[in-house]
Amino acid sequence: MAANAPLLTTQLKLLIVDDSNVIRRRIERCQQIEHLEVVGLAANGVEAIEIFRRTDPDVVTMDITMPRMDGIECVEQLVAIKPHVLILIISALADKATAVEAMEKGANGFLNKPFSDRQLNEALEELIGGA
Amino acid sequence: MTTRLSGRVRDQAATVGFLVLLVAFIGLVLVPGYRHADQLSADTAALKLASEQRGQPVAIAKSLAAIRDRLGSRAFVGQAVKDLRGAVQAFDQSLAQLRPSAAGTSADLREVERLWSDYRKALDPVAGFEGLPYRDSDSAGTQLNSRGRQLLQDTRQAINSSREGTDRLNTALSAIGTGLEQQVVTASATLRKLMITGVAFACLLVTLLAYFQWLKVRHERLAVEAQNQTRDILGTVKDGLFLLDADFRIGKAHSAALSALFRRDDFSGLTLEELLRDTVTEKTLATATKYVRLLWGERANEKLIRSINPLAEVEVHFDRGDGSRDLRYLEFDFHRVKGDHGVRQMLVSVNDVTSRVLLARELKESQAKSQGQMDMLLGLLQVDPEHLLSFLDDTSAALAQVNSVLKVPARGDGDFRTKIDQLFREMHRIKGDAATLGLASVEARTHAFEDLLQELRDRSQLSGNDFLPLVVSLDEIIGHLQSIRELASRADALRANAVLTTAPRAQPATTTIDAGPQDIAPSLDTLARRIATDAGKKVRLVTAGLDEVHGDIRRTVRDIAIQLVRNAVVHGIEDAGTRRGLDKDEVGLLQIQFKSGEQRFELVFQDDGGGIVPERLRETAVRRGDLSADAAQQLDTKASLALIFKPGFSTHDGNDRDAGRGVGLDFVLKAVHSIGGKISIATAPGKYTRFSILLPAQSGQQGAVA
């Protein structure tokens, strides 16, 4: 908790990972958290890790079902690179066991697809402020 | 929280104060008191010694005098010397005892020791005398021998010393006594003070002990009170509540409702897995265990993982005891209970949400049903109303026929097979009609009926009972057709009154087929506005006399007016921009006037749009292939205008729901002719178009009779 307190006062970097271009744009457009700045958009896990190493984001929104490397494996790798990264899984909740597995790999929260702008903003605020 | 904290700090301060007081009491009162008492006791003993010693110099002097006198009278001196020796030894012992006492350090004692040491030198030869001091002879009798003479001399010297020494020793011994007495007095006073202080300390300590006792009683009372309240809460709350420890074991306390939810009473020490085993699926149980483990970790955000709680609405099965199982839906909610060092416990609340889940399911089903009806309604709107009505009438008759065929008694297998053939024919015809009209729901039902028939046909033997499923299926089809008939009447009303888009809800009467005459004008107005909006135009409708339209011809008048309004808004009225350019009011004007006469009715419809250009009609007719270019050239204005009543004729490019199919004016002409009326057109390009329709007054009554 203490580690997150200073985060609130500084600019946070956000990486958006989703294989749907529409969803990526949607998240980019509707997230309106004051201290959150989008530093990258990735369409799969491999791309996400490449951009993650380059931009060192603090917050990541992550899809589960993606080509090349899925969200669960990607979460595991991102947490290995940066243990304190905050990860919000954004996925259609078909199977809770899969969602729980993603959390076990180190994600911090889950947002169900489809989501409203308000739900996204609230989830991101909760992620940043209440982790 | 703050109150609890300050209370704890106060208790700790009281404990520390108590300890400090206790140490102070021991250090300042008990130890000095003990030392002072010890000193007092030593001083008293020393005082006693000193006072006893004061008599000894006198006793020594007396012994010396006795020895001298006995030597003079030639008497036995042994006992006297022995007494002297005892007295000297007693004095030595007294001194030895005084030395470690309270008087040990006093100058008076040193004086006594010095005096005694000097005196002792004179006493020692006397006290140390051994043997006989006399010599017996016949001539002189008993005489002092040389040793006797020496003893006498020593004794005299000692007596001389004692005259001075005894007084001085007594004086010095008195001084020691006085000093000791003073010390005893001082020590007593100090001891008294210490005792008073001690009593004060003791009082203070007793007060503190009383305070601690009071605190303890108070804490116990509050604890009991809190315990009772907790018990009351747990006994009353409707949720099943319990705490899970790090081993996923249920704590000792749980709410009473839990027993009813899980139909058992033994929860304490039970693990979550043991609680749920056999009531939920293996997979759910495994996921639930992982989920709870996530909550024990710090990483997952409690709020943000609530949506993936596998027990948020879980289906559970309980054995009823008679072999059957009871299905319930339970809702588990997990809350972290945090302590100073992270998550300490997990508060779990459980609710029975069976009725909520079932209600939601019912709602969903009912929504699906409504959606189905809406789809059907929208489908019916696509079907021509007259065709639909005649289909419904024909089908009712056909179904009645099917019913009677089913009821005819049959005796042999041949009869049954004839029956099946008849039923097939009737049902197949209905199915064909339904398919033609696009009534998929009717088609599907009749098809299912045919499937049943086919199944019967394939059987080698038939009996009357085999036909029972057909009766059930027939009932279902009849019911469905009835609901279509109801929906059709609503669809017809919707279509006629254009309620589909913008009709105000305040006019429910417009949704019935037999709407009152006064309702025609508002529904036409609504229709005109809706079409205008769709076409990006602005119009206003002015009507006169429509409320006088006779009930018998109301439907015809309304149908005609609907088509004319459509036609005028789509084809006649220009868009606002064009109208402004032509110096016209940008809102187009539609006028409908109805006049009742004795022999006939007159319906006049006029718009102030672009009028009809005969040349364009001819061009369209040639393009459609209705006329050759030559034949078109020969048409006069009247004949050209008549082209617009041809079936399928349209100058509109699109094919939207309002125009473009070329049905509208064809329909108007047929409707007018069907009741023996006439129609004429007047138009001025760029200015207006007027349709004048004459309807015979008789026809409506005839129609009503027919």
Side-chain angles (χ1 to χ4, degrees), chain B residues 612 614 617-618 634-645 679-683:
Chain B
I612 301 172
L617 297 179
R618 285 195 290 268
Q634 289 176 9
L635 290 181
D636 60 9
T637 304
K638 193 179 170 187
S640 298
L641 287 176
L643 286 171
I644 63 170
F645 293 111
I679 185 163
S680 61
I681 312 175
T683 181

Side-chain angles (χ1 to χ4, degrees), chain A residues 1 79 83 85 88 93 95-97 99-100 103-104 106-110 123 126-127 130-131, chain B residues 283 287 290-291 293-294 298-313 338:
Chain A
M1 233 177 288
V79 172
V85 65
L88 179 69
L93 185 55
D95 178 24
K96 285 182 177 179
V100 168
M103 294 297 138
E104 283 182 310
N108 304 82
F110 189 95
E126 176 65 30
L127 184 75
Chain B
K283 190 185 173 192
T287 312
K290 286 179 185 171
Y291 177 78
R293 197 167 292 132
L294 279 179
E298 291 282 343
R299 194 163 171 86
N301 183 305
E302 188 178 331
K303 275 191 201 164
L304 289 178
I305 63 168
R306 201 160 279 165
S307 64
I308 62 169
N309 175 5
L311 300 178
E313 191 181 285
K338 290 192 173 178

Side-chain angles (χ1 to χ4, degrees), chain B residues 493-508 510-511 521-534 539 657-658:
Chain B
L494 285 169
R495 192 189 284 109
N497 297 314
V499 175
L500 248 184
T501 50
T502 51
R505 281 171 179 230
Q507 300 171 359
T510 60
T511 58
S523 62
L524 286 176
D525 190 45
T526 307
L527 178 71
R529 284 172 196 279
R530 201 267 296 160
I531 299 171
T533 307
D534 285 356
V539 296
R657 61 175 163 167
D658 296 314

Side-chain angles (χ1 to χ4, degrees), chain B residues 567 571 617-628 631-632 635 638-651 660-670 673 679 681 691:
Chain B
N567 184 66
H571 298 290
L617 297 179
R618 285 195 290 268
E619 282 169 14
T620 306
V622 172
R623 194 171 63 241
R624 275 165 43 94
D626 291 342
L627 289 172
S628 66
L635 290 181
K638 193 179 170 187
S640 298
L641 287 176
L643 286 171
I644 63 170
F645 293 111
K646 284 179 80 71
F649 191 91
S650 176
T651 55
R661 294 187 195 280
V663 177
L665 293 179
D666 163 40
F667 174 87
V668 169
L669 188 70
K670 282 195 178 121
H673 284 171
I679 185 163
I681 312 175
F691 292 87

Side-chain angles (χ1 to χ4, degrees), chain B residues 359-377:
Chain B
L359 197 65
R361 227 173 247 188
E362 263 177 45
L363 197 66
K364 207 172 169 186
E365 278 166 16
S366 132
Q367 275 172 345
K369 200 174 160 192
S370 303
Q371 186 61 45
Q373 282 189 339
M374 181 55 80
D375 289 346
M376 192 153 73
L377 181 62

Side-chain angles (χ1 to χ4, degrees), chain B residues 589-606:
Chain B
L589 179 64
L590 305 179
Q591 297 177 79
I592 304 177
Q593 194 177 27
F594 183 82
K595 287 181 204 161
S596 301
E598 277 193 22
Q599 297 297 313
R600 59 186 192 177
F601 305 123
E602 188 180 9
L603 178 69
V604 179
F605 181 93
Q606 181 171 328

